[in-house]
Amino acid sequence: MLEVEGLKLYYKTLKGHVKAVDDVSFDVNDGELLGLAGESGCGKSTLGNGLILLKPPMNYFGGKVQLDHTQLPIDDFERMNDFRFSKLSIIPQYAMDALNPTRKIGVYIREVLQSRGIDPESIMDKLLERLKFVNLPERVLKMYPIELSGGMKQRMVMVISTLLNPSLLIADEVTSALDVSSQKAVCLMIKGFKDAGIVKSLIFITHDISVLYQIADRIMIMYAGKVAEIGKTQQIASNPVHPYTKMLMSSLPEIGIRYTHGILSGIPGQPPQLLNPPTGCRFKERCPLRGKECDEEPPVVNVEEGHIAYCWKVTQNA
Amino acid sequence: MLKAINLSKAYSVGSLGKEKFYAVDNVNFEIQEREIVSLIGESGSGKTTIGKLILRLTKPTSGKIVFNDLDITMLKSLKEYYKHVQGIFQDPFSSYNPIFKVDRVFDMVREEFYPSESVNSWKDKVNGVIESIGLNPKEVLGKFPHQLSGGQLQRLLIARALLMETKFLVADEIISMLDASTRIDILNILVKLKERGLSVLFITHDLSLGYYISDKTIILYRGSIMEYGETEKIFNNSAHPYTKMLLNSIPSLHQKWSNTDVSLSGRSAPVGYCKFYDRCPLGDERCKNIELRKVEENHFAACKNV
């Protein structure tokens, strides 16, 4: 179980702080897959990386992160080594390039395990079982990364990331380079890690809400470094309340929608600069419902059980 | 208007380049005037190579491309051709030189293609096309690329392509780098331009974008066309197992994935067999030398079961 409270992660630049994750609070329960969605630059990858590998130019500016009721020292790079890989792990966005090209994959895994003080032999059976779990033949261990296809490398990284049964797994844009059929297979595989009890909770980061609808238990929408809305998957899909979520969802074409049946429209304007962002709601410049109060920090509104939104214009039980 | 006839592009691979890898393998299609055709395939399927062949950024190994009855495959002087056929690519930032203002891409078109045009009348023309794609010239001209958003830069590249007597546009993944909330606006521009007489080859890996915008669809897999025809027919009455698998895997916001299994990509199909042979649930020894067959009017598929 992961609890995040008031987390602030800023990038230090010469001009000032880029507030990529600004006062973000959420939690992920045991046995739960939380989907994290937003456009490029909304801070979703910063959040995922910040939880596990916080290093300059990214800086910690406050907030509390607890994993299974133990506080994570995310701002202490050295002390986090006690948690990385064993308690929380990540499948990075660049998973296909994450393997060491000069080592056979079996040798590489051995080295990674030894670096954590784990005897590789003690884990061999588990490794072979996991390879089967993701449909990879045993002989890949004797191969170099270059001999594997992109999809195979990615599945290999999935196996390595979860080898020590971490409590929390973060999957960052793992399917963005795949076609829809491979995307489906990989998504179901990752969900399978949770369903099989290999990992307890999962954060699945993507820009594609419709992928989250397939696999997530709850969905969190971010905009410009802030949380816009969190709710159960069904609540977000059928009753989005934040103006940003609503507009984003209506600008996505789905199969069955053609321009001849009616032109879809995007959201006018662009996301704000996160260096000196505007005060108050960060969506206000593009929001059709903007009012005076939007210059103040938006309140968190309990829309219904398990469904919250940060917006002045949302009312309870809307 | 534009025809690809038995088009192939092979690259040499392996030690000493003995083996041939066919990025595009015997592809045939035709694009009419005022038509948007989407070319859909996964990464590595050869869709970008087809775009490059049409733009003559690379030459085919065999086969030809015919534009308005002119075989351009081995054409020496391409200047006249480029007045009519233009391309836009995925990453708008890399199409600009970051040390020059964005105006330079427009000036270069004049210097290269219309040197006799006066600077002032050219300026009016530039302002005209920029307005026609929904931007305010005052807001974008005189700026450096880093001062504009990806969506604005991409629109300016569309404007640049329209400065000539462009009749055919190759649009290669032009919105995949843009923010989700502004993507659809670029697609709507293409629709508007089509209504004014432009033809577009819309290259994408996203089926729902293809469905939204195109009149015809080509489904490409490992360099070969699996299915080809009117968009509505391909999506609503698909005939090829690969197309069916793709359509089954599209994540939709209001419908969960069906329980049908997807097989992951295997190694490769044996020579002469259908490219989808190794993943296909219906694959057997009859899947050899299959050409496109007619399913119904304006709808073709390359499968033995058609």
Side-chain angles (χ1 to χ4, degrees), chain A residues 149-170:
Chain A
S149 74
M152 289 167 89
K153 276 188 270 189
Q154 195 180 37
R155 277 178 276 153
M156 195 64 236
V157 172
M158 282 161 58
V159 167
I160 299 171
S161 294
T162 53
L163 202 49
L164 299 182
N165 294 11
S167 174
L168 174 72
L169 178 68
I170 300 163

Side-chain angles (χ1 to χ4, degrees), chain A residues 128-145:
Chain A
L128 298 179
E129 177 196 316
R130 294 287 162 81
L131 286 178
K132 224 176 270 165
F133 190 79
V134 300
N135 278 324
L136 283 174
E138 224 171 275
R139 61 187 153 80
V140 294
L141 296 177
K142 298 210 163 58
M143 290 158 94
Y144 286 97

Side-chain angles (χ1 to χ4, degrees), chain B residues 7 11 18 25 53 61 69 109 135 139 144 167 179 224 229 254 306:
Chain B
L7 193 64
Y11 293 101
K18 271 185 223 149
D25 194 357
L53 287 167
T61 311
D69 301 323
V109 173
L135 287 176
E139 279 172 16
F144 287 99
K167 301 208 171 66
D179 278 329
S224 294
H254 297 288
V306 169

Side-chain angles (χ1 to χ4, degrees), chain B residues 177-272:
Chain B
M177 279 187 65
L178 305 181
D179 278 329
S181 62
T182 52
R183 282 174 166 199
I184 200 77
D185 299 326
I186 303 279
L187 289 192
N188 291 336
I189 291 176
L190 291 186
V191 169
K192 231 196 256 167
L193 293 174
K194 178 197 109 164
E195 280 156 9
R196 281 188 229 151
L198 191 76
S199 300
V200 183
L201 180 68
F202 183 74
I203 301 176
T204 183
H205 67 275
D206 190 323
L207 290 125
S208 27
L209 297 179
Y211 185 73
Y212 177 73
I213 193 174
S214 63
D215 306 300
K216 275 191 195 160
T217 296
I218 301 171
I219 306 277
L220 199 68
Y221 184 67
R222 288 184 184 159
S224 294
I225 294 181
M226 299 285 118
E227 196 158 355
Y228 167 48
E230 278 175 25
T231 298
E232 297 271 15
K233 289 178 178 162
I234 301 254
F235 281 83
N236 297 324
N237 184 27
S238 48
H240 198 285
Y242 177 61
T243 318
K244 287 182 188 165
M245 187 182 76
L246 287 181
L247 290 172
N248 249 322
S249 314
I250 295 174
S252 141
L253 198 47
H254 297 288
Q255 201 181 348
K256 297 265 183 184
W257 274 325
S258 64
N259 278 329
T260 45
D261 263 353
V262 274
S263 62
L264 285 156
S265 57
R267 302 195 68 81
S268 60
V271 178

Side-chain angles (χ1 to χ4, degrees), chain A residues 15 34 43 51-52 73 78 81 102 110 114 131 140 154 199 239 275 290 306 316:
Chain A
K15 288 184 187 162
L34 176 77
L51 290 175
I52 183 165
E78 293 296 323
N81 276 334
T102 67
R110 203 169 277 271
Q114 279 164 350
L131 286 178
V140 294
Q154 195 180 37
V199 300
N239 181 27
L275 184 75
R290 177 181 183 172
Q316 216 158 349

Side-chain angles (χ1 to χ4, degrees), chain A residues 7 9 11 21 36 43-55 58 74 77 80 84 88-94 170-172 203 205:
Chain A
L7 185 64
L9 301 171
Y11 290 96
V21 171
L36 174 48
K44 57 190 193 300
S45 284
T46 302
L47 179 58
N49 288 322
L51 290 175
I52 183 165
L53 192 72
L54 202 150
K55 57 180 183 187
M58 198 201 294
I74 61 163
F77 196 86
M80 271 302 283
R84 277 187 206 117
L88 76 164
S89 196
I90 188 167
I91 305 171
Q93 198 163 4
Y94 54 87
I170 300 163
D172 188 2
I203 300 179
I205 302 173

Side-chain angles (χ1 to χ4, degrees), chain A residues 11-281:
Chain A
Y11 290 96
K12 265 191 190 152
T13 68
L14 291 173
K15 288 184 187 162
H17 295 131
V18 174
K19 299 177 176 173
V21 171
D22 203 6
D23 203 0
V24 164
S25 304
F26 65 97
D27 45 31
V28 192
N29 297 319
D30 284 345
E32 191 174 62
L33 195 160
L34 176 77
L36 174 48
E39 302 177 57
S40 43
C42 74
K44 57 190 193 300
S45 284
T46 302
L47 179 58
N49 288 322
L51 290 175
I52 183 165
L53 192 72
L54 202 150
K55 57 180 183 187
M58 198 201 294
N59 282 275
Y60 170 83
F61 272 79
K64 207 163 101 179
V65 180
Q66 285 194 313
L67 183 65
D68 298 331
H69 307 295
T70 311
Q71 184 149 355
L72 287 182
I74 61 163
D75 54 330
D76 188 332
F77 196 86
E78 293 296 323
R79 273 177 59 209
M80 271 302 283
N81 276 334
D82 299 341
F83 297 93
R84 277 187 206 117
F85 194 28
S86 53
K87 296 283 190 294
L88 76 164
S89 196
I90 188 167
I91 305 171
Q93 198 163 4
Y94 54 87
M96 289 179 196
D97 305 317
L99 298 165
N100 185 340
T102 67
R103 292 276 187 281
K104 284 184 178 163
I105 288 165
V107 176
Y108 171 72
I109 294 176
R110 203 169 277 271
E111 288 176 353
V112 170
L113 289 168
Q114 279 164 350
S115 77
R116 300 283 136 164
I118 296 158
D119 175 19
E121 296 309 321
S122 68
I123 230 157
M124 264 308 143
D125 291 346
K126 198 154 108 189
L127 176 60
L128 298 179
E129 177 196 316
R130 294 287 162 81
L131 286 178
K132 224 176 270 165
F133 190 79
V134 300
N135 278 324
L136 283 174
E138 224 171 275
R139 61 187 153 80
V140 294
L141 296 177
K142 298 210 163 58
M143 290 158 94
Y144 286 97
I146 194 171
E147 298 176 77
L148 271 58
S149 74
M152 289 167 89
K153 276 188 270 189
Q154 195 180 37
R155 277 178 276 153
M156 195 64 236
V157 172
M158 282 161 58
V159 167
I160 299 171
S161 294
T162 53
L163 202 49
L164 299 182
N165 294 11
S167 174
L168 174 72
L169 178 68
I170 300 163
D172 188 2
E173 290 279 11
V174 283
T175 62
S176 46
L178 305 173
D179 75 312
V180 284
S181 60
S182 315
Q183 178 184 54
K184 178 177 173 184
V186 168
C187 286
L188 295 177
M189 222 170 247
I190 289 180
K191 186 168 181 282
F193 278 117
K194 190 206 74 185
D195 294 341
I198 295 169
V199 300
K200 274 195 261 171
S201 18
L202 247 161
I203 300 179
F204 193 99
I205 302 173
T206 177
H207 62 279
D208 192 341
I209 304 183
S210 41
V211 167
L212 295 181
Y213 180 73
Q214 310 299 324
I215 55 169
D217 300 305
R218 286 195 300 143
I219 295 178
M220 167 160 128
I221 309 282
M222 281 184 75
Y223 182 77
K226 298 263 191 192
V227 176
E229 186 166 359
I230 305 178
K232 291 175 193 148
T233 300
Q234 200 52 50
Q235 291 169 336
I236 297 283
S238 46
N239 181 27
V241 293
H242 195 288
Y244 172 64
T245 320
K246 281 186 186 174
M247 292 177 83
L248 183 65
M249 282 171 37
S250 66
S251 70
L252 304 172
E254 287 209 357
I255 292 292
I257 301 176
R258 273 168 74 74
Y259 73 91
T260 43
H261 306 153
I263 295 268
L264 295 175
S265 57
I267 307 178
Q270 299 153 37
Q273 294 274 349
L274 296 180
L275 184 75
N276 308 318
T279 54
C281 175

